[in-house]
Amino acid sequence: AQKITQTQPGMFVQEKEAVTLDCTYDTSDPSYGLFWYKQPSSGEMIFLIYQGSYDQQNATEGRYSLNFQKARKSANLVISASQLGDSAMYFCAMREGGSARQLTFGSGTQLTVLP
Amino acid sequence: DGGITQSPKYLFRKEGQNVTLSCEQNLNHDAMYWYRQDPGQGLRLIYYSQIVNDFQKGDIAEGYSVSREKKESFPLTVTSAQKNPTAFYLCASSIVAGLASNEQFFGPGTRLTVL
């Protein structure tokens, strides 16, 4: 079974508008962390935001916020006031409890910001 | 500047040849990781290492080998046993101890093409 599911292969958004990128996850571990990374066409992976399973509040980092719904096992990324430079591939990833600290990645969402 | 370097950026290999991808970090991170990314897909874990002289297989280790003789270096060898090695390879590192929120930092990647 997929541990991280991103159901939107591609998304379009108008510049200056907000966009939500979906991510659902599957784990039986009560301790886990959820990450979002951005991958521009250059290929590098850029860390955006983190949400821990025990965090009471949704994470925010500048224009990025994470809509964390634990009961639904979803961790959607919200980008406010989209910019042309936001056009990239976005990956959701999960780290389950334990010492190994590997990340499991979803298949990604290609976001295109339109001028 | 602290970061992760990968070399070369582009690599071409003939079928049947082994090739080694370099990954060096000066972040003083204990853990290092190798991922493979195929076009339009997410990252899959090949190998990871949490400490010098120790490493573990990830989800797709067959046809690959690694070594961790120094904290800063985690080279990946793609052997002739890897049936479909053409892909984008990403190296990452992270702190092991401490907060679960410690993200993985990624290198710029190596694009391997088998001719």
Side-chain angles (χ1 to χ4, degrees), chain B residues 24-41:
Chain B
E24 304 276 333
Q25 55 100 358
N26 60 4
L27 300 168
N28 200 32
H29 286 169
D30 293 303
M32 296 186 74
Y33 312 82
W34 273 106
Y35 292 92
R36 170 183 171 137
Q37 186 179 27
D38 291 287
Q41 297 187 29

Side-chain angles (χ1 to χ4, degrees), chain A residues 3-24:
Chain A
K3 288 197 171 184
I4 296 286
T5 303
Q6 295 182 252
T7 57
Q8 306 155 314
M11 287 281 287
F12 292 89
V13 64
Q14 209 68 39
E15 194 178 6
K16 299 181 184 177
E17 292 186 350
V19 63
T20 298
L21 306 183
D22 294 341
C23 172
T24 58

